[in-house]
Amino acid sequence: MILAEARFSLLPGLTVIGIVLGGTYALAAIGIVLIYRVSGVLNFAHGAVAMFSTFIAYQVSVVSGLPGWLGLLAAVAAGIAMGFIIERLTMRPLAGKPVLTKVVITIGWLIVLQAAAALIWKANAYHRAVKLVSKSGFRLTGTSVVVGYDQLTTLIVALVLALGTAAVLKYTMLGASMRAVADDPEAARLWGISVNRVTAASWMAGSAMAAIAGVLITPLITFDTFSLTLIVIDAFVAALIGRLTSLPYAVLGAFILGLVQEYPTAFTNNSGMHEVATFALLLIALAVLFRPGSRKLRVA
Amino acid sequence: MSDLRLVRWTAVGVGVALGVLIPALLTDFLRTLAADAAIAGLIVLSLVLLTGMVGQISFCQYSFAAMGAFTVGSLVAGHHWDFWLALLVGVFFAAVVGVLVGFVALRLSGLFLAILTIGVALFFDRFVLAAGNWNSFSGGLSSWRPGRPSFFGIGLRGEYAFYLFAFGVLLAACLLVWNLRTGKTGRVLRAVRESEVAASTVGLNLTAWKLTAFGISAALAGLAGGLAAVRVGSVSAGSYDFLHSISIAAIAIVFGAGSIASAPAGGIFLIFGREALIDWTPFSTQWFDVILGAGLIFQLVHAPDGVVVDIERRITRRLRPPRQMPSESEQRSPERVPAEVG
């Protein structure tokens, strides 16, 4: 990595890609935070749910040739269904069991979904990305950077959903119940809130977010079963920056992560710089925000 | 000697005898699988040590194994080192990486350790072992091809000889972990697992013990990697990726990280389970992971301690002599078994 060889001219373009990538991570991270806050479970299968839903969209809109928005809809439905199944069949019966047991169950789901998708859609085959919006774009005035309409849409959808989630949590009855369950499930139950129903709602909503994130990210990364499953790590890093509890900081973390992953491309040709950036940020987040005695750490 | 110990040592004896005899009757192909099973068993054993004894979870055991495998690969095939010296260096490197991970893990537990180890696994997959980044270690686009060594003058080129060697290594490692478990180390590690606060108040140096556990666990995985390198005769990154790591962790949990017997059982299941799937059912190998994951989920929902641990507990319960002669009224009441199972 020699600075003299740096290609600074690439930076503006990388910024655009980084921000768009960050938007999709933000969506995935919101799902993680939602599920974690309400049920206390860190969902390792989040990326796998995103991946499986995305392949449903692929099946509908690329293989069957139906419109892209129908594929997205199918993906969201699949995400909600998976969230419901995971919660209802494998989380609820374990009420009162150690959280780590439930977390390992989500790893089981990761393995199942990943292997099943590899069986159905072939792990190493080339998959055409799910196309929602035209790829043509416009030039940012005064620069040479072209922004695709698809990229713009991705960013807008991510921001709208992030704000929407915040609004739902803040202003609706369901949101208030979710916050109540997150703070103290026992007290919430005494207030007449159906903890089970709220928990299920958080899993379904969180998984739907994962599905949307998965569909939106397909043009940006290698579209195969493994790579999509792994966006759970990116979502974790973003969520960790928000201490797993704060939505705004998780969204901010997602954008930081997106940019940090893209910028090294300007300086080095080494492969895997994405992962190095992710890993570095992960270590920093764990070391700084989760050091013993740090504020607001929810012991899980 | 109590019934329980008698049964245990008989089981071990029979297991070892079968382990030596059965592969003698098999074809060479099945012998290579048996050697693979012993090697996979070593990795399960590394998790038995880490998860079962210290309570630390890890999803990057194959990254530790990769340290062993690629060190052996590059030193033997690239620099013409003696295999045994290279293996020693590889195990040492793996232990060093293990201690480094353990160092970060000191302040983490449970969930966060799981995230960290997945991060480590991906860092290895996509950076350390990726072609072009560190070719003198990863071999670049061509994989290392280390040859089989000889063991005190006995060539290990034959599949049965190599299997016996791998099986011996597994047995020795099991013995090592068994010793750690029953000795002072075992008591210390159990104390650390049960309550870190309590362990530190009685003066145990948590830092040193946790790092030691990570180091030994990674060393065992590295040893497995070194063996796998010469078993296969070629070292490529695809065999040490993240998916392997979570599969082996799933197996350790399904069989029960609390028991050393899970190591051979898990190794056999991982290798021969796949093979049985191809030979005896219309399913392809990819179904194995679906079954494994579903088994893991089912297992945790119904018997969270693991299959082997569950079986052992049943046998123990049947054989353990009653602590005191039960009075007549107690004899009539059933044992308090169900409460223990949950």
Side-chain angles (χ1 to χ4, degrees), chain A residues 80-260:
Chain A
I80 291 175
M82 272 181 271
F84 177 77
I85 291 171
I86 294 176
E87 198 279 332
R88 188 70 191 80
L89 296 184
T90 60
M91 294 293 144
R92 204 178 291 181
L94 289 178
K97 288 274 161 61
V99 176
L100 208 55
T101 308
K102 298 185 195 169
V103 171
V104 176
I105 287 181
T106 65
I107 297 217
W109 280 108
L110 187 166
I111 299 175
V112 169
L113 290 173
Q114 151 78 28
L119 264 174
I120 304 172
W121 292 287
K122 302 287 169 283
N124 296 317
Y126 169 76
H127 306 284
R128 218 145 28 94
V130 180
K131 202 166 132 192
L132 287 172
V133 195
S134 110
K135 268 206 169 216
S136 65
F138 58 92
R139 189 182 292 266
L140 280 184
T141 43
T143 65
S144 59
V145 180
V146 175
V147 179
Y149 287 120
D150 58 336
Q151 294 177 320
L152 193 65
T153 318
T154 301
L155 190 60
I156 290 172
V157 170
L159 287 177
V160 166
L161 281 174
L163 290 175
T165 311
V168 166
L169 281 178
K170 187 147 193 183
Y171 298 113
T172 67
M173 193 59 210
L174 177 67
S177 317
M178 279 184 177
R179 282 183 289 136
V181 174
D183 286 344
D184 188 342
E186 199 51 33
R189 200 177 55 78
L190 292 176
W191 276 96
I193 296 171
S194 166
V195 176
N196 278 344
R197 206 173 289 173
V198 170
T199 309
S202 77
W203 275 87
M204 285 149 71
S207 302
M209 297 275 195
I212 300 171
V215 174
L216 291 179
I217 207 172
T218 50
L220 299 170
I221 61 169
T222 323
F223 183 19
D224 62 28
T225 55
F226 194 38
S227 307
L228 268 172
T229 301
L230 291 182
I231 66 166
V232 67
I233 287 297
D234 305 296
F236 276 160
V237 173
L240 284 174
I241 290 174
R243 282 208 169 99
L244 289 179
T245 47
S246 157
L247 285 182
Y249 278 104
V251 172
L252 180 70
F255 285 115
I256 294 175
L257 178 65
L259 291 173
V260 168

Side-chain angles (χ1 to χ4, degrees), chain B residues 2-5 316-324:
Chain B
S2 71
D3 277 2
L4 183 61
R5 290 188 60 188
T316 310
R317 206 174 292 132
R318 196 159 296 169
L319 295 175
R320 177 171 287 157
R323 293 242 162 76
Q324 66 218 32

Side-chain angles (χ1 to χ4, degrees), chain A residues 103 107 112 233 270-272, chain B residues 59 107 111 118 126-127 133 294:
Chain A
V103 171
I107 297 217
V112 169
I233 287 297
N270 281 11
S271 60
Chain B
F59 295 111
R107 28 172 80 217
L111 292 179
I118 291 182
R126 300 285 170 94
F127 184 72
N133 284 337

Side-chain angles (χ1 to χ4, degrees), chain A residues 42 236-237 240-241 244 279-292 294 297, chain B residues 104-105 107-109 111-120:
Chain A
L42 200 53
F236 276 160
V237 173
L240 284 174
I241 290 174
L244 289 179
F279 189 57
L281 216 53
L282 169 68
L283 285 183
I284 293 170
L286 285 176
V288 176
L289 297 174
F290 289 87
R291 66 186 183 280
S294 98
L297 173 57
Chain B
V104 186
R107 28 172 80 217
L108 307 170
S109 61
L111 292 179
F112 302 104
L113 187 55
I115 301 179
L116 171 75
T117 52
I118 291 182
V120 170

Side-chain angles (χ1 to χ4, degrees), chain B residues 70 131 135 137-145 234-236:
Chain B
F70 281 89
N135 284 352
F137 182 69
S138 68
L141 289 172
S142 59
S143 40
W144 298 115
R145 302 196 168 281
S234 116
V235 190
S236 56

Side-chain angles (χ1 to χ4, degrees), chain B:
Chain B
M1 195 183 255
S2 71
D3 277 2
L4 183 61
R5 290 188 60 188
L6 190 67
V7 168
R8 178 179 288 149
W9 288 110
T10 316
V12 171
V14 170
V16 171
L18 289 179
V20 172
L21 290 178
I22 292 180
L25 310 171
L26 299 175
T27 60
D28 264 358
F29 172 65
L30 289 174
R31 286 172 180 165
T32 63
L33 291 185
D36 283 343
I39 290 167
L42 262 181
I43 299 188
V44 177
L45 188 70
S46 72
L47 278 169
V48 167
L49 179 77
L50 197 61
T51 310
M53 290 170 63
V54 202
Q56 308 283 306
I57 208 160
S58 163
F59 295 111
C60 62
Q61 291 306 103
Y62 268 89
S63 305
F64 297 146
M67 281 309 293
F70 281 89
T71 307
V72 166
S74 62
L75 289 182
V76 172
H79 299 269
H80 309 289
W81 278 40
D82 180 56
F83 167 76
W84 302 103
L85 200 57
L87 184 66
L88 210 64
V89 175
V91 169
F92 175 70
F93 281 175
V96 169
V97 175
V99 170
L100 284 179
V101 173
F103 197 72
V104 186
L106 283 176
R107 28 172 80 217
L108 307 170
S109 61
L111 292 179
F112 302 104
L113 187 55
I115 301 179
L116 171 75
T117 52
I118 291 182
V120 170
L122 291 182
F123 179 71
F124 264 79
D125 277 13
R126 300 285 170 94
F127 184 72
V128 177
L129 303 179
N133 284 337
W134 195 11
N135 284 352
S136 54
F137 182 69
S138 68
L141 289 172
S142 59
S143 40
W144 298 115
R145 302 196 168 281
R148 293 257 176 103
S150 63
F151 184 64
F152 291 116
I154 307 161
L156 296 179
R157 251 171 253 288
E159 294 305 338
Y160 187 56
F162 189 83
Y163 162 75
L164 283 183
F165 168 63
F167 185 60
V169 170
L170 175 64
L171 280 184
C174 286
L175 209 63
L176 170 82
V177 174
W178 175 254
N179 268 324
L180 286 180
R181 198 152 114 145
T182 47
K184 181 196 169 209
T185 322
R187 286 200 303 278
V188 170
L189 294 182
R190 267 200 303 281
V192 174
R193 185 188 63 188
E194 296 304 330
S195 166
E196 298 194 355
V197 178
S200 62
T201 48
V202 294
L204 296 174
N205 183 346
L206 280 182
T207 313
W209 283 110
K210 268 194 182 174
L211 290 183
T212 311
F214 264 97
I216 300 178
S217 172
L220 284 177
L223 178 63
L227 295 186
V230 288
R231 202 311 273 148
V232 186
S234 116
V235 190
S236 56
S239 317
Y240 300 94
D241 66 7
F242 166 63
L243 285 178
H244 284 83
S245 288
I246 51 171
S247 294
I248 207 86
I251 282 180
I253 294 164
V254 168
F255 282 85
S259 167
I260 291 175
S262 299
I268 291 170
F269 178 71
L270 179 70
I271 303 298
F272 286 98
R274 265 180 220 283
E275 196 55 29
L277 215 52
I278 315 176
D279 291 348
W280 297 333
T281 68
F283 300 123
S284 65
T285 38
Q286 281 170 320
W287 280 92
F288 184 77
D289 287 321
V290 179
I291 295 167
L292 177 63
L296 177 65
I297 296 168
F298 186 82
Q299 161 80 43
L300 286 172
V301 174
H302 291 98
D305 284 332
V307 176
V308 170
V309 172
D310 201 48
I311 294 172
E312 279 183 346
R313 201 176 286 161
R314 274 165 214 243
I315 296 175
T316 310
R317 206 174 292 132
R318 196 159 296 169
L319 295 175
R320 177 171 287 157
R323 293 242 162 76
Q324 66 218 32
M325 289 306 287
S327 67
E328 283 212 347
S329 61
E330 274 177 327
Q331 261 176 349
R332 289 164 56 85
S333 65
E335 320 164 64
R336 50 178 190 83
V337 179
E340 257 181 76
V341 177

